[in-house]
Amino acid sequence: MNDSTTAPAADDGVEADVDVIVVGAGVTGLYAVHRLRGLGLRVRAFERGDDVGGVWYWNRYPGARCDVESVDYSYSFDDDLQQEWDWSERYATQPEILRYLAHVADRFDLRRSYSFGTSVVSAELDETALTWTVRTDRGETVTARYCVFAVGCLSAAHRPELPGLAHFAGPVHHTGAWPHEGVDVTGLRVGVVGTGSSGIQAVPVLAERAARLTVFQRSANYSVPAGNRPLDETTRARQKAGYAERRRLSRLSGGGSPHQAHPARTFEVSDEERRAAYEERWRLGGVLYSKTFPDQLTDPKANDAARAFWEEKVRALIEDPAVADLLVPTDHPIGTKRIVTDSGYYPAFNRPDVELVGLRRNPIERVESGGVRLADGTLVELDVLVFATGFDAMTGALDRIEVRGRGGRLLKDHWSEGPRTYLGLGVDGFPNLFSLTGAGSPSVMANVVLCAEQHVDWLADCLRHLDAHGLRAIEARPEAVERWVAECRDRAAATLFPVADSWYQGANIPGKPRVFMPFIGGFAVYGEIIASVAEAGYEGFDLIGP
């Protein structure tokens, strides 16, 4: 192994040969830099933002908040870190998460390995040396033995092309690229396009600040109130004292948190017990509701029962039945799109200055200088337009980089019919390249912080194994990729998830292949699979000698 010295800084114009290049400074990238440096590897990292944070650096829209409890949405690799950080709320806001990640970067001196404000534009394999040459938008060229992409599943913002958008007289913002200085909407007429997670979180806050808010909804989404609350010293002390057990349970779970589904199936319990279970999950808040019973996402009747309880709860929050009719989804089973965790979303529509427009009945015809013209001829006058239209998820960020493997083949072309990985880690034809917490792994289906640790720890063990055995490279075999793609597809097909036109399968991006991209078998099951592959000598990979 080489020592842990870092490459020269980006500004000095000196090319640097390093052991590992890491792309991304979010949750996964930061831990990758820390863990791989700990092996004595020379690590060079790049981040297009001006500081650490990843998705939490860019998504600064009003109301941005994590849908995993803050005590769980945190690193477990260092107990001192767990004990010293105090979360202020049950579900942390974007500013607090960003402060946490900055604290981690400071505590472990991670920034010294990064070039910030720098986008990787290409990564090309040298087939003879089996090394990677990475080029950036600042004209840098760096070569490395290993190339690690930690670019995030939700980092390529998607803005639909609406006719006439260029003629709009006011500012246009996207929740995924929110101005760092904030947006003052006091006394203004604001339009929000999109009611996914970011739209649902932003609406209540914008409603309080704007003179008038119009929400343009294409598809209604399921959301469950967060039940958020401040954390007092007693609660924090109890959580910290119980961290070891909490993490143990999280690693045994499907979603990377300590909460387990009810031990019985939906209709194996009495009506009273079933309702009590729903009530408990409603109290817990947010996405956990989708996992109340183990058959809820596989059995349509079980799903209908959960949906009926949800609808009863939500309709009680909305005063106008006609508005409730628009806000209650009818086009997909509950939980097959990620359930949103909200703070006051449904009650916001009880305000006289908030209007809901159902675009399926009355679509946007065009954008004009003064607002949005609907198909029925109505002009919704606006001063500010906000797109809460999500991301080109899972693959979008990688697609924007020119990644070339064996024979100069583009990764984007290799994935033209959907992402093809082995274990969500390796790609055939792209030796020594790793894509972390992305397609083919639990990623967005679980607590991404523990997913990051799971992936990076596996990678660290793998690189240590290669070094210990004098090996130059590791490459996924085509047949192993085929098997994994089929396994991911078959596991998804056994559930209700493919019924929904979700970003899980690229349905929000015109022309994108409809493939269910995450591994749906659960965090614990996935961990067992990748561990067994490693224990079997990295079965399914070719280990390439000197």
Side-chain angles (χ1 to χ4, degrees), residues 485-503:
V485 169
E487 178 159 357
C488 290
R489 181 189 63 234
D490 293 346
R491 283 179 179 267
T495 73
L496 301 176
F497 277 92
V499 174
D501 287 332
S502 69
W503 56 258

Side-chain angles (χ1 to χ4, degrees), residues 1-8 17-20 33-44 108-110 112-113:
M1 287 287 182
N2 296 304
D3 64 26
S4 58
T5 57
T6 56
D17 292 325
V18 296
D19 298 308
V20 186
V33 168
H34 171 69
R35 186 77 168 81
L36 298 179
R37 280 192 340 199
L39 294 181
L41 294 169
R42 294 172 302 150
V43 179
R44 182 74 183 278
F108 298 101
D109 190 22
L110 302 180
R112 68 179 167 88
S113 293

Side-chain angles (χ1 to χ4, degrees), residues 1 9-10 21 118 151 196 266 332 345 355 366 374 411:
M1 287 287 182
I21 290 172
T118 304
V151 293
T266 300
H332 65 282
Y345 177 64
E355 180 184 5
R366 64 181 181 275
L374 300 175
L411 180 64

Side-chain angles (χ1 to χ4, degrees), residues 263-448:
R265 294 178 177 271
T266 300
F267 299 111
E268 291 176 347
V269 300
S270 66
D271 292 348
E272 292 76 14
E273 186 176 347
R274 182 163 57 251
R275 186 171 183 87
Y278 292 144
E279 285 281 4
E280 173 63 16
R281 283 305 169 106
W282 185 268
R283 185 191 64 78
L284 282 173
V287 69
L288 291 170
Y289 185 79
S290 66
K291 301 173 183 178
T292 308
F293 288 95
D295 57 343
Q296 200 162 298
L297 290 168
T298 56
D299 181 349
K301 290 183 178 179
N303 192 275
D304 286 344
R307 183 192 181 283
F309 180 90
W310 176 91
E311 183 172 351
E312 175 190 330
K313 286 286 193 180
V314 165
R315 285 190 179 273
L317 299 173
I318 306 166
E319 294 172 0
D320 186 340
V323 173
D325 288 344
L326 281 176
L327 289 171
V328 171
T330 59
D331 63 348
H332 65 282
I334 187 168
T336 54
K337 292 182 180 180
R338 189 177 180 96
I339 291 179
V340 183
T341 304
D342 76 86
S343 298
Y345 177 64
Y346 295 109
F349 291 96
N350 297 331
R351 299 173 60 109
D353 51 3
V354 175
E355 180 184 5
L356 178 64
V357 176
L359 297 181
R360 293 197 184 277
R361 301 178 186 177
N362 195 13
I364 294 173
E365 185 174 281
R366 64 181 181 275
V367 180
E368 300 179 2
S369 62
V372 170
R373 182 77 65 178
L374 300 175
D376 68 358
T378 301
L379 176 65
V380 180
E381 295 181 333
L382 299 172
D383 302 304
V384 180
L385 188 57
V386 174
F387 283 103
T389 47
F391 304 89
D392 183 355
M394 308 293 289
T395 60
L398 267 177
D399 284 348
R400 297 180 183 188
I401 301 172
E402 186 181 306
V403 182
R404 293 188 179 274
R406 291 192 184 275
R409 183 171 177 80
L410 272 174
L411 180 64
K412 185 175 181 179
D413 292 342
H414 194 54
W415 286 4
S416 61
E417 296 181 3
R420 297 172 46 80
T421 75
Y422 179 43
L423 308 176
L425 284 161
V427 183
D428 55 316
F430 294 79
N432 285 354
L433 181 142
F434 304 90
S435 177
L436 303 185
T437 59
S441 74
S443 55
V444 293
M445 308 298 293
N447 175 1
V448 74

Side-chain angles (χ1 to χ4, degrees), residues 24-272:
V27 166
T28 304
L30 290 177
Y31 182 54
V33 168
H34 171 69
R35 186 77 168 81
L36 298 179
R37 280 192 340 199
L39 294 181
L41 294 169
R42 294 172 302 150
V43 179
R44 182 74 183 278
F46 297 99
E47 166 56 46
R48 67 185 176 97
D50 291 331
D51 201 356
V52 301
V55 67
W56 301 108
Y57 175 87
W58 297 103
N59 285 257
R60 301 176 185 232
Y61 60 86
R65 190 184 296 272
C66 190
D67 64 356
V68 176
E69 290 182 83
S70 49
V71 66
D72 299 311
Y73 194 85
S74 57
Y75 292 114
S76 70
F77 69 87
D78 187 284
D79 191 56
D80 288 340
L81 175 63
Q82 291 187 138
Q83 296 299 319
E84 72 193 17
W85 184 262
D86 290 331
W87 292 104
S88 68
E89 297 180 77
R90 185 172 173 228
Y91 290 98
T93 60
Q94 175 271 333
E96 186 168 18
I97 297 171
L98 193 59
R99 287 195 300 272
Y100 171 73
L101 294 175
H103 171 75
V104 172
D106 290 340
R107 194 183 192 286
F108 298 101
D109 190 22
L110 302 180
R111 287 186 180 87
R112 68 179 167 88
S113 293
Y114 276 94
S115 293
F116 292 104
T118 304
S119 293
V120 169
V121 295
S122 68
E124 186 173 0
L125 175 71
D126 180 325
E127 288 194 60
T128 302
L130 292 180
T131 58
W132 286 91
T133 299
V134 165
R135 294 179 174 83
T136 76
D137 62 349
R138 291 174 57 182
E140 299 165 80
T141 301
V142 184
T143 59
R145 183 178 173 191
Y146 304 108
C147 189
V148 176
F149 284 103
V151 293
C153 293
L154 302 174
S155 57
H158 169 62
R159 180 183 295 185
E161 297 179 5
L162 297 181
L165 181 59
H167 301 300
F168 184 63
V172 179
H173 302 291
H174 193 288
T175 51
W178 200 256
H180 290 190
E181 66 276 12
V183 179
D184 185 3
V185 299
T186 304
L188 301 179
R189 299 163 299 182
V190 179
V192 174
V193 180
T195 52
S197 183
S198 56
I200 285 174
Q201 290 185 337
V203 160
V205 183
L206 293 173
E208 292 176 356
R209 300 174 182 175
R212 182 163 188 81
L213 178 68
T214 304
V215 180
F216 300 91
Q217 172 189 274
R218 181 180 60 87
S219 300
N221 221 325
Y222 293 99
S223 186
V224 173
N228 193 41
R229 61 179 181 272
L231 298 176
D232 57 29
E233 288 296 338
T234 301
T235 301
R236 281 196 290 262
R238 184 176 66 251
Q239 289 174 339
K240 290 180 180 182
Y243 245 137
E245 177 64 7
R246 191 176 187 104
R247 298 301 196 182
R248 186 187 72 82
L249 292 174
S250 296
R251 291 189 175 90
L252 294 174
S253 73
S257 75
H259 305 288
Q260 304 288 334
H262 194 287
R265 294 178 177 271
T266 300
F267 299 111
E268 291 176 347
V269 300
S270 66
D271 292 348
E272 292 76 14

